[in-house]
């Protein structure tokens, strides 16, 4: 697999560290539901067969956290962007292939 | 003729003068099973053996039947040998792919006592007992006999060749290559594709498993552009080699297709030589990243399935032509040709041209096209149309063929060669590595690629285009397209002229009536009966068939057997071949040496070594080193006269506690943290408070994972208003940096925080012990006041040492002694450790390593990796008090889950043996004093232990159920794997100077 | 079962005499009935074992196993065939030891030779810290009555002289040995359980893919499949890497990610590796099959995947480990590489539990350790389905353990499935 | 008297020569300073830097140089500034003084060790340990990248068309990587290398 780092360009897999689902948002610890929400945040996964938005860390490169949109059946990567940009790749393939 | 004649043949008597394209002017010698033979450069071991009339080459896996040479390529299931000897021995090597070199040594395998007489060949008499999967049905009683009797016997018979019993002496290499167009296969289609792509100026890599490009061009008598095809191929190869941006990789097999248009290829750099040249690898692994790929891997001929079709002398027709046309070797003197397709017809002329007799042409088809009939009559051979070869005679190689004619008449044809052709299977394995399913093409009666990996196109025979003309045209066109799609300008595809050829086929999957075993998979001895049995027992799904009969599981990966077996199963289930299914190919296309996949990373170079700044000096001191991750750290510094490591460590600890000890702590992770929001950031990362930390001070901090478990600990110093230096444990440096970057980029992107790893920047030495300040005084420039008033415990600041060298000074203590850590730019580390050691002489100080450090940290009850093991909370480790309740921090919410607040959880305690002579070891479990030694009474374990020279007995840290409440209690320390079971007293984890007077001074 | 279809050397000789024409299908090819008491989703080792124990141990009838492809097409046919019970935590050891005991009597129990071969499992250590961790593990095993021996370098050398003891980057200092560990012929486990279950009347339905779970009022009623609707009083889901997909049909989100684990086999060579050896300083473990193939593997590829195929970097990483540990492997050729779809749980330990949907039960989260667990997982899942309470040795495998803070984290890696 | 403290070179040898094929030279005594723009200060930093040094901080992986000061892109809004010790005595101090307000300034002079790889086989040698494409059509003088060599993270940039590549590797790995380069370049002793 080759991942297109928004800063460095396309790089081979072994420069990256995988983290997982990029759509999880850390809950507000003040929320009275915080306990349950943190459990869902840390432990529950959609684990889809198909379109997946996921976090990668370019550890052996520029140390940027990246959101990649990838098909877990084919490993095709549709788009990537820096995680600080809220994880919404420009021209996001988000709607494409969501089926 | 009699089968014994072979052994009487004079040297190379099957070589045909004037034929073939190899250099017969030079003669080289080689040995097979100890006997010396002659061959020529350019031969394969197989062609050389055939030239010398050697037909019996190996024995089959299960029945140990005599086997010869079936093919002329990497699909060979039978002719497997042990190549080379000693630590270079290569088992299961295909004689058909081994390039002959002078002095080559090969021997047959999987036979005893000899190839000609193999005791285990009696297995074939028990053929119907050793039917597919028989072993699942027996060897069960009594149970104990499996390991004791049955399995040892089976394992003695198992395997083919023998692996070398010593380390591989050769080296391996890996390369990453990028290109616009990768052409896989150097046959006509591949050559045309590469020429096209090159003409468009593309960066081209063309790879072929043979030593020369050309493929079937070298094996057939054909013409391209009025040139003999072999000559055309030679020109094409020269053209490519002389074109910029074209890399020709011969002896290179593309074995796998991976995601991201990445292709794995193996180059056999030196396998054609006795040993690799100096500084050259034996083989080289290529990772090729290609924008576009043209797959031109050709096709593999199918055997015919008839009785005793495995005897030496039964060969694929295409292989016979290869041996004649390329190597000038005729594999027999009296040949029968048995086929179901037009392509095989050309075999007749080739055999005749080689001066051998074609005793008959047997075709399972009743009607042939006029053109083909014309060829037959011109050749003047006895053509048996609508007939079958039912069986063969002979033992160690064939002496005749039993043929049934269309009208049922049985004829026995004496012959020493049967050239058979069941049609051709496109080599589409690489097209299916990414899970694509091929589809069935009725016209050529074979599977062809359908969906393809991104960026791949398939040319020529690999795509079912079996004629030379189609191969050249499709290759030329796809090469152009590939180059264009890769961003090169569009150019015109040139066309090639060839002589016409016929190519129709009427599939025959198995001969209707046969005598004797009819083999489908030669190497694993899978016969038609086995396929029938698998069907009968319900193993009709293709994967069931393979797994139950082991069909296609051999070193040939079923290249010659899979489709025949599928077809036979389809007939049995009365369904179509595609309905039965296809077997998805997995990498590698052909087997790859494990050494090549490992590459250069072996022995000492398995992983890079990370060296601390004092490494060179420590080596000179004769320090013993230990691995800490990739780091090599001094474990202890033995001195002359010291009996064992223990004595050394006692001395290091004792000296440190009573005078001063010096230790390289540069391996601790260091992260520079800056920014207006740095404090806020640290507050969210650490469980304790940071707002109150003054500039010029350091503080111990603990960070958790989001699930509430302790991630790491260390001190962080405030160097400026918005500038901090964080230290991590040696092992967690990278992990913590990743965690901080995650928090900064993914959780709180708006914070103004900048992170920089600076571990390598600083050589940092700890000076611990009552004399540490005196020692420090000797190197710190006089203008800096390091009195306790000016530089108290946990102070941090910049100083200058040795006359103006800027350094960072921290007053931290891991040992519990008055201690300082001095940090200088790494390049000065070596000089500084030498300076310190000289300066320390007057205090009789010492250097100490990780062992002594471990002892002292346990004496102080400080935490190590064994305590912060990923399953312990701050509460568990006695850090609950540190947790601020006035802020949120990573891990706070989930850290308070009921299960983690359970008072019954094991928590940190100290342990000391009741009997001071007793030893406690880490890993021992803790149970109530008198409790029965079972899991039910297990209450925790010892995490760290060491002998304390100061206290004169072993001390240990442990995690004990309700530990802190049980101080004073006596518990059992149970260590069955070390055969120990003693009693220990539960104490506070701080064994030494609990009040901390010494470290504050 | 009647004597004439009982397997033995005599049945083989008798059949051989008749040209092997008398063998019957190992399991019947049946079409689904409208309804069953219990439907097990997933015709892998776990599902088939569950069906067998439901019928043989708990006297259940009207049982079906539905499989989307052919039985044994999942991880039971795509693993490195290792069995062991060398676990650390109290939540795991008794379970895997029960599994080991079931392996030890399996072939006589199901009358099928799965070649259970206890040639030993050796985990190497390369540092004092690793030694102590293995001592802790070995002691935990011994306290549970499981065999475990802590070996020093000399003993290891005697046991496995073919390793590189001299110039290794991480010298071998010793190992933790479980002699009762070993290997089993993986496909045979699926076939053997299928045959035994079939003999007890279990319907094994292949090419029957579940496309929906009908839930009514919080209760599971049945399954929509590619072969029509199948009613079920109880549904047991045992589909490894597909767990999240099937659970989603009932509206459930699981603490599971699906990952790829690669395995490799070499060309067959004359046996020289006795038992199973695990490298402690790299991602590599190896054993040798009775056919002579060296079976080896390493770490998971490390990202969510349903592709059932491995990548090149991991293959290289595994072979680097192999060459570091056994440099004599250099000229042995890797023959095949395959990928299994593993259900990585958030703590690396499995789940055998009810679900919030009444009548729907889950057996999942086996990570890369599901094969060795096959008999016990089948028995415990059958127990849960029949007694509606967990089997004693599987009490820890609850779905809610993450919420309550009772994760069973052998490696201490935390809630990061790709690190377990 | 700092000179009393002898500095230890990062690499075990000054150079490796492989016939006319590859030349590997250790570049000791280079000052390296890392600067990372503070949040929302990048623009000011770039302007200030241009004002002082007449150089534009590259916004993509690249290297620019002027009057002995080299700037290499090192990540998102991060750069490595380099100059010879001889030329500028304390680069870090100067940078902090000039740009401390806009950027975090960190001394990396001893964290990285720089080695120059040049010669006609330089690309072939690097291809054994570096997975990015260094072909002149893709990577040329002035280009830079943050990547890895032989599993170790590093920065690489091209300085001329010989070609010459410079690699900034972690100092504590310098010894190990040097050994790797000695082994990987050995084959170029015989000019008729098969690669």
């Amino acid at each position: 697999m080759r991942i297109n780092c928004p800063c460095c360009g396309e790089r081979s897999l072994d420069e990256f560290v995988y983290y997982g689902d990029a759509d999880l948002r850390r809950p507000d610890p003040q929320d009275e539901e915080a306990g349950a929400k943190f459990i869902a945040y840390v432990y529950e996964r959609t684990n889809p067969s198909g379109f997946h938005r996921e976090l990668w860390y370019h550890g052996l490169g520029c140390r940027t956290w990246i959101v990649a949109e990838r098909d877990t059946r084919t490993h095709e990567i549709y788009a990537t962007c820096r995680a600080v940009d809220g994880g919404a790749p420009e021209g996001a393939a988000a709607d494409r292939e969501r089926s | 003729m009699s089968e014994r004649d072979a052994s009487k043949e004079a040297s190379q008597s099957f070589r045909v003068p004037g034929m073939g394209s190899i250099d017969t002017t030079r003669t080289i010698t080689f040995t097979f099973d100890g006997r010396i033979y002659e061959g020529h450069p350019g031969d394969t071991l197989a062609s050389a053996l055939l030239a010398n009339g050697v037909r019996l080459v190996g024995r089959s896996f299960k029945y140990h039947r005599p086997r010869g040479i079936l093919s002329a390529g990497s699909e060979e299931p039978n002719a497997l040998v042990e190549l080379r000897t000693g630590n270079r021995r290569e088992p299961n090597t295909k004689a058909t792919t081994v390039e002959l070199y002078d002095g080559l040594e090969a021997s047959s395998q999987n036979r005893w006592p000899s190839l000609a007489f193999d005791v285990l060949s009696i297995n074939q008499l028990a053929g119907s007992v050793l039917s597919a999967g028989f072993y699942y049905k027996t060897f069960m009683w009594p149970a104990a006999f499996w390991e004791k009797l049955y399995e040892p016997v089976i394992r003695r018979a198992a395997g083919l060749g023998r692996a070398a019993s010593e380390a591989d002496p050769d080296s391996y290499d890996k390369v990453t290559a990028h290109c616009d167009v990768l052409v896989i296969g150097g046959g006509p289609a591949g050559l045309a594709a590469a020429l096209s792509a090159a003409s468009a100026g593309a960066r081209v890599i063309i790879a072929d498993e043979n030593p020369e490009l050309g493929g079937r061009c070298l094996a057939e008598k054909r013409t391209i552009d009025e040139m003999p095809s072999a000559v055309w191929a030679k020109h094409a190869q020269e053209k490519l080699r002389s074109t910029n941006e074209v890399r020709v990789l011969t002896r290179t097999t593309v074995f796998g297709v991976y995601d991201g248009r990445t292709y794995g290829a193996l180059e056999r750099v030196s396998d054609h030589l006795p040993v690799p040249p100096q500084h050259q690898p034996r083989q080289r692994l290529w990772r090729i990243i290609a924008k576009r790929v043209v797959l031109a891997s050709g096709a593999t001929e199918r055997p015919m399935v008839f009785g005793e079709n495995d005897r030496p002398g039964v060969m694929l027709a295409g292989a016979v032509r290869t041996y004649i046309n390329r190597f000038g070797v005729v594999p027999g003197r009296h040949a029968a040709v048995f086929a179901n397709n037009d392509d095989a017809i050309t075999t007749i002329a080739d055999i005749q041209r080689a001066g051998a007799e074609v005793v008959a042409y047997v075709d399972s088809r009743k009607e042939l096209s006029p053109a083909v009939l014309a060829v037959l009559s011109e050749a003047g051979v006895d053509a048996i149309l609508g007939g079958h070869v039912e069986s063969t005679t002979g033992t160690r190689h064939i002496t005749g063929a039993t043929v049934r004619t269309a009208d049922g008449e049985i004829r026995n044809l004496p012959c020493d060669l049967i050239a058979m052709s069941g049609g051709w299977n496109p080599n589409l394995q690489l097209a299916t590595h990414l899970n694509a399913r091929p589809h069935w093409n009725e016209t050529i009666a074979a599977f062809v690629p359908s969906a393809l990996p991104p960026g791949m196109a398939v040319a020529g025979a690999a795509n079912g285009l079996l004629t030379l003309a189609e191969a050249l045209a499709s290759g030329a066109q796809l090469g152009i397209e590939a180059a264009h799609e890769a961003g090169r300008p569009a150019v015109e595809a040139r066309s090639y002229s060839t002589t016409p050829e016929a190519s129709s086929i009427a599939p025959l999957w198995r001969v209707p009536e046969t005598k004797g075993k009819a083999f489908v998979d030669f190497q694993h001895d899978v016969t038609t009966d086995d396929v029938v049995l698998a069907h009968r027992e319900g193993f009709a799904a293709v994967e069931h068939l393979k797994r139950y009969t082991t069909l296609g599981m051999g070193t040939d990966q079923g290249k010659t057997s899979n489709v025949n077996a599928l077809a036979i199963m389809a007939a049995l289930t009365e369904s179509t071949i595609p309905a039965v299914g296809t077997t998805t190919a997995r990498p590698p296309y052909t087997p790859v040496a494990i050494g090549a996949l490992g590459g250069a990373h072996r022995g000492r170079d398995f992983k890079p070594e990370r060296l601390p700044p004092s490494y060179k000096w420590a080596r000179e001191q004769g320090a013993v080193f230990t691995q800490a991750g990739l780091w090599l750290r001094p474990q202890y510094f033995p001195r002359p006269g010291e009996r064992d490591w223990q004595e050394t460590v006692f001395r290091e600890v004792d000296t440190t506690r009573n005078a001063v000890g010096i230790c390289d702590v540069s391996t601790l992770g260091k992260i520079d943290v800056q920014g207006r929001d740095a404090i806020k950031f640290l507050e969210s990362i650490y469980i304790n408070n940071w707002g109150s930390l003054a500039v010029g001070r350091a503080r111990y901090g603990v960070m958790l994972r989001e699930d509430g478990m302790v991630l790491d600990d260390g001190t962080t110093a405030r160097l400026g208003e918005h500038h901090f230096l964080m230290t991590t444990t040696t092992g967690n440096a990278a992990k913590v940096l990743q965690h901080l970057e995650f928090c900064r980029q993914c959780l709180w992107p708006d914070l103004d925080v900048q992170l920089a790893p600076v571990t390598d920047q600083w050589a940092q030495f700890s000076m611990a012990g009552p004399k540490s300040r005196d020692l420090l005084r000797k190197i710190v420039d006089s203008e800096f006041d390091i009195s306790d008033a000016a530089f108290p415990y946990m102070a941090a600041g910049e100083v200058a040492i040795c006359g103006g060298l800027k350094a960072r000074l921290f007053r931290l203590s891991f040992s519990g002694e008055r201690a300082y850590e001095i940090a200088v730019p790494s390049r000065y580390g070596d000089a500084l450790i030498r300076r310190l050691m000289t300066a320390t002489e007057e205090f009789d100080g010492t250097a100490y390593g990780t062992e002594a450090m471990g002892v002292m940290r346990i004496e102080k009850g400080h935490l190590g990796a064994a305590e912060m093991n990923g399953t312990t909370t701050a509460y568990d480790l006695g850090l609950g008090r540190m947790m601020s309740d006035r802020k949120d921090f990573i891990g706070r919410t989930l850290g308070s889950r009921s299960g983690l607040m359970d008072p019954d959880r094991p928590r940190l305690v100290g342990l000391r043996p009741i009997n001071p002579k007793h030893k406690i070891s880490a890993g021992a479990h803790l149970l109530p004093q008198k409790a029965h030694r079972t899991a039910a009474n297990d209450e925790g374990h010892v995490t760290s232990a060491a002998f304390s020279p100061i206290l004169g007995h072993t001390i240990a840290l442990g995690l004990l159920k309700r530990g802190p409440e049980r101080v004073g209690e006596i518990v059992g320390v149970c260590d069955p794997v070390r055969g120990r079971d003693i009693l220990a007293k539960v104490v506070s984890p701080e064994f030494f100077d609990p009040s901390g007077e010494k470290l504050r001074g | 079962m009647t004597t004439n279809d009982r397997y033995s050397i005599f049945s083989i000789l008798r059949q051989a005499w008749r040209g092997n024409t008398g063998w019957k299908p190992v399991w019947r090819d049946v079409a689904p009935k409208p309804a069953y008491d219990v439907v097990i989703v997933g015709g892998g080792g776990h599902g088939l074992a569950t069906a067998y124990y439901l019928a043989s141990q708990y006297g259940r009838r009207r049982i079906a196993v539905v499989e989307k492809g052919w039985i044994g097409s999942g991880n039971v046919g795509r693993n490195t065939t290792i069995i062991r019970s060398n676990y650390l935590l109290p939540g795991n050891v008794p379970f895997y030891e029960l599994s080991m005991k079931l392996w030890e009597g399996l072939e006589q129990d199901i009358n099928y030779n799965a070649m259970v071969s206890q040639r030993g499992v050796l985990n190497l250590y390369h540092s004092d810290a690793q030694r102590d961790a293995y001592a802790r593990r070995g002691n935990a095993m011994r306290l549970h009555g499981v065999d475990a021996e802590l070996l020093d370098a000399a003993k290891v050398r005697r046991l496995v002289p073919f390793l590189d003891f001299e110039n290794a980057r991480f010298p071998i200092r010793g190992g933790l040995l479980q002699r009762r560990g070993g290997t089993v012929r993986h496909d045979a486990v699926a076939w053997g359980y299928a045959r035994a279950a079939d003999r007890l009347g279990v319907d094994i339905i292949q090419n029957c893919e579940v496309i929906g779970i009908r839930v009514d009022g919080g209760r599971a009623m049945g399954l929509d499949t590619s072969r029509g609707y199948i009613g079920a009083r109880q549904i047991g889901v045992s589909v490894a890497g597909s767990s999240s997909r099937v659970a989603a049909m009932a509206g459930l989100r699981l603490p599971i990610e699906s990952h790829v684990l690669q395995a490799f086999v070499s060309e067959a060579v004359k046996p020289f590796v006795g038992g199973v050896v695990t490298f402690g300083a790299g991602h590599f473990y190896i054993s040798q099959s009775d056919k002579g193939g060296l079976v080896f593997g390493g770490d998971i590829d490390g990202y969510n995947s349903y592709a059932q195929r491995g990548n090149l970097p991991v293959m290289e990483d595994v072979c680097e480990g192999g060459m570091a540990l056994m440099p004599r492997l250099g000229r042995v050729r890797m023959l095949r590489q395959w990928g299994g779809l593993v259900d990585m749980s958030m703590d690396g330990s499995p789940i055998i539990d009810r679900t919030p949907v009444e009548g729907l039960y889950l057996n999942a989260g086996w990570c890369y350790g599901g094969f060795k667990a096959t008999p016990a997982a089948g028995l415990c899942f059958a127990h849960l389905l029949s007694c509606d309470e967990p089997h004693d040795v599987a009490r820890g495998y609850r779905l809610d353990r993450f919420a309550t803070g009772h994760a069973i984290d052998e490696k201490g890696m935390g809630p990061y499935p790709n690190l377990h | 008297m700092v000179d009393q403290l002898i500095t230890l070179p990062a690499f075990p040898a000054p150079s490796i020569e492989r016939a006319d094929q590859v030349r590997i030279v250790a570049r000791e005594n280079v000052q390296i300073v890392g600067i990372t723009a503070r949040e929302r200060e990048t623009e000011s930093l770039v302007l200030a830097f241009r004002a002082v040094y007449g150089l534009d901080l590259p916004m993509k992986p690249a290297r620019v140089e002027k009057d002995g000061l080299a700037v290499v892109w090192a990540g998102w809004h991060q750069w490595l500034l380099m100059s010879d010790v001889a030329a500028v005595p304390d680069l870090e101090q100067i940078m902090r003084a000039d740009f401390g307000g806009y950027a975090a300034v960190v001394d990396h002079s001893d964290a990285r060790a720089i080695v120059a790889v040049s010669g006609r086989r330089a690309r072939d040698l690097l291809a054994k340990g570096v997975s990015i494409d260094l072909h002149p059509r893709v990577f040329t003088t002035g280009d830079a990248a943050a990547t890895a060599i032989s599993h170790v993270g590093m920065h690489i940039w091209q300085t001329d068309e010989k070609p010459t590549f410079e690699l900034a590797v972690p100092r504590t790995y310098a010894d190990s990587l040097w050994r790797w380069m000695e082994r990987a370049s050995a084959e170029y002793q015989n000019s008729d290398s098969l690669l």
Side-chain angles (χ1 to χ4, degrees), chain C residues 115 120 143 212 227 266-267 342 376 398:
Chain C
M115 303 178 199
L143 287 168
R227 298 179 68 171
S266 79
E267 295 180 349
V342 295
R398 298 170 60 95

Side-chain angles (χ1 to χ4, degrees), chain B residues 90-107:
Chain B
E90 294 157 32
N92 311 334
T93 306
K94 294 160 182 161
T96 51
T97 62
V98 174
E99 292 177 60
L100 201 67
Y101 56 82
D102 201 16
L104 177 148
E105 292 178 80
S107 48

Side-chain angles (χ1 to χ4, degrees), chain B residues 61 87-93 110 128-129 131 134-141 143 146-147 151 154-155 157-168 170 172 174 255 258-259 282 285 287 433-435 524 533 536-537 539 543-544 547-548 553-555 557 586-588 591-595 597-598 601-604 606-609 627 629-630 632 635 705 707 851 869-871 897-900 922-925 933-935 938 941 975-978, chain C residues 6-9 12-13 16 19-21 23-27 70-71 77-78 107-108 111-113 115-119 126 128 131-132 135-136 138-140 142-144 148 150 167-171 173 185-188 191 206 267-274 279 281-282 288-292 296 307-312 315-317 319-321 323-324 327-338 402-406 409 411-416:
Chain B
F61 187 83
N87 54 9
R88 285 195 168 89
R89 187 168 61 209
E90 294 157 32
N92 311 334
T93 306
N110 198 38
S128 50
V129 173
S131 59
F134 76 97
Y135 30 75
Y136 299 127
K137 299 168 181 167
T138 180
F139 304 136
M140 286 177 275
W141 296 271
W146 177 252
E147 286 87 352
E151 188 176 47
I154 290 171
R155 284 176 85 84
L160 291 162
R162 302 160 300 155
S165 49
E166 295 301 322
D168 186 346
D170 294 337
Y172 297 86
K174 292 184 184 180
F255 62 78
Y258 299 93
D259 298 310
R282 174 192 169 218
L285 182 82
R287 309 181 198 89
H433 279 181
L434 297 189
N435 296 350
H524 275 178
L533 177 60
R536 183 173 295 129
E537 295 196 277
F539 295 97
E543 282 297 330
H544 279 158
R547 290 155 184 268
Y548 192 62
M553 301 282 200
T555 60
Q557 292 147 314
R586 294 288 176 209
V592 178
I594 292 169
L597 292 164
H601 296 285
R602 53 186 277 200
R604 185 184 169 195
F606 170 48
K607 296 277 185 229
E609 287 171 341
Q627 287 98 354
L630 295 180
L632 292 181
Q635 191 173 10
R705 294 190 312 232
D707 68 347
E851 281 298 326
N869 62 12
T871 63
R897 284 174 291 172
S898 57
L900 301 184
H925 283 239
R933 300 315 195 213
T934 65
D938 197 352
H941 75 283
D975 198 357
V977 294
R978 296 191 183 96
Chain C
R6 182 171 179 79
Y7 287 161
S8 72
I9 184 63
I12 289 178
L13 293 170
N20 290 309
T21 53
W23 293 114
K24 298 200 184 65
V26 174
W27 63 89
W70 37 278
I71 64 165
R78 297 167 174 272
E107 290 143 320
Q108 293 66 34
N111 175 231
Y112 202 84
N113 184 2
M115 303 178 199
V116 176
S117 174
Q118 297 176 289
R119 301 196 308 279
H126 309 263
D128 295 354
R131 177 202 59 212
D132 295 343
R136 180 191 172 195
N139 285 329
R142 293 280 282 270
L143 287 168
H144 279 94
L150 193 68
N167 84 80
R169 168 78 167 79
F170 301 96
R173 304 221 185 277
R185 171 77 179 93
H186 57 359
D187 292 321
W191 303 336
Q206 300 188 105
E267 295 180 349
V269 292
K270 291 295 174 193
F272 69 100
V273 179
F279 190 22
Q288 188 167 18
S289 79
D290 285 345
K291 257 176 59 208
F296 56 102
Q308 281 206 343
R309 57 180 154 79
N311 66 35
L312 186 55
M315 176 162 88
E316 293 181 43
D317 181 61
C319 292
E320 283 176 12
M323 286 302 286
R328 65 154 59 177
L329 289 182
R331 302 171 106 84
V332 176
R333 299 181 201 87
M334 196 261 280
L335 175 63
R336 264 195 324 280
Q337 162 202 29
W338 63 92
F402 304 103
T404 60
H406 291 91
D409 188 347
K411 281 192 180 174
M413 284 301 177
Y416 311 102

Side-chain angles (χ1 to χ4, degrees), chain B residues 18-92:
Chain B
M19 293 196 80
S21 56
I22 66 169
D23 167 21
T24 54
T25 61
R26 275 184 53 225
T27 295
I28 54 181
T29 65
F30 67 100
T31 68
F32 177 63
D33 279 346
R35 195 167 155 194
I36 299 170
Y37 299 94
E38 288 185 339
H40 300 297
D43 263 324
T44 62
L45 175 57
S47 67
L49 286 169
L50 288 169
N52 287 282
V54 178
R55 289 200 178 73
L56 174 60
V57 179
R59 290 276 175 171
S60 66
F61 187 83
K62 188 158 84 175
Y63 300 136
H64 290 249
R65 286 169 65 99
R67 291 291 165 81
I69 294 161
L70 176 74
S71 74
S74 57
E75 70 270 39
E76 179 62 33
N78 288 339
L80 306 182
V81 300
E82 283 179 359
L83 184 67
R84 298 189 163 89
T85 57
N87 54 9
R88 285 195 168 89
R89 187 168 61 209
E90 294 157 32
N92 311 334

Side-chain angles (χ1 to χ4, degrees), chain B residues 801-926:
Chain B
I801 67 168
C802 305
L805 174 62
K806 270 203 308 179
R808 284 175 178 174
L809 182 64
F810 309 88
R811 185 163 171 189
L812 310 168
S813 178
F814 201 48
S815 59
E817 296 295 334
R818 164 192 293 275
Y820 302 83
E821 289 185 12
I822 186 89
V824 297
S826 300
R827 72 187 64 190
Y828 295 102
D830 180 76
L832 180 55
I833 186 69
R834 293 172 197 275
R835 179 70 57 92
L836 286 169
M837 292 315 294
T838 326
T840 199
E841 276 163 15
E842 78 179 63
F843 310 108
D844 300 317
T846 182
Y848 67 92
T850 53
E851 281 298 326
M853 180 192 296
V855 172
M856 291 187 278
R857 74 107 183 156
I858 295 170
E859 286 176 333
K860 280 300 289 182
H862 287 312
L863 303 176
E867 289 75 33
M868 297 182 287
N869 62 12
T871 63
T872 46
T873 66
Y875 283 110
D876 299 340
L877 300 181
L879 305 168
R881 278 170 276 91
M882 282 176 68
M883 279 197 270
S884 164
D885 46 15
R886 301 199 311 280
K887 60 163 188 174
D888 174 50
F889 52 84
I890 297 279
R892 177 180 178 172
T893 307
L894 291 189
S896 58
R897 284 174 291 172
S898 57
L900 301 184
M901 305 300 278
D902 183 346
D904 275 355
R905 278 180 68 88
R907 297 178 62 188
L908 188 73
V909 294
L911 297 158
R912 52 174 304 170
I914 298 302
N915 176 341
K917 292 194 175 48
H918 284 165
K919 185 165 186 266
I920 303 179
S921 298
H925 283 239
L926 303 172

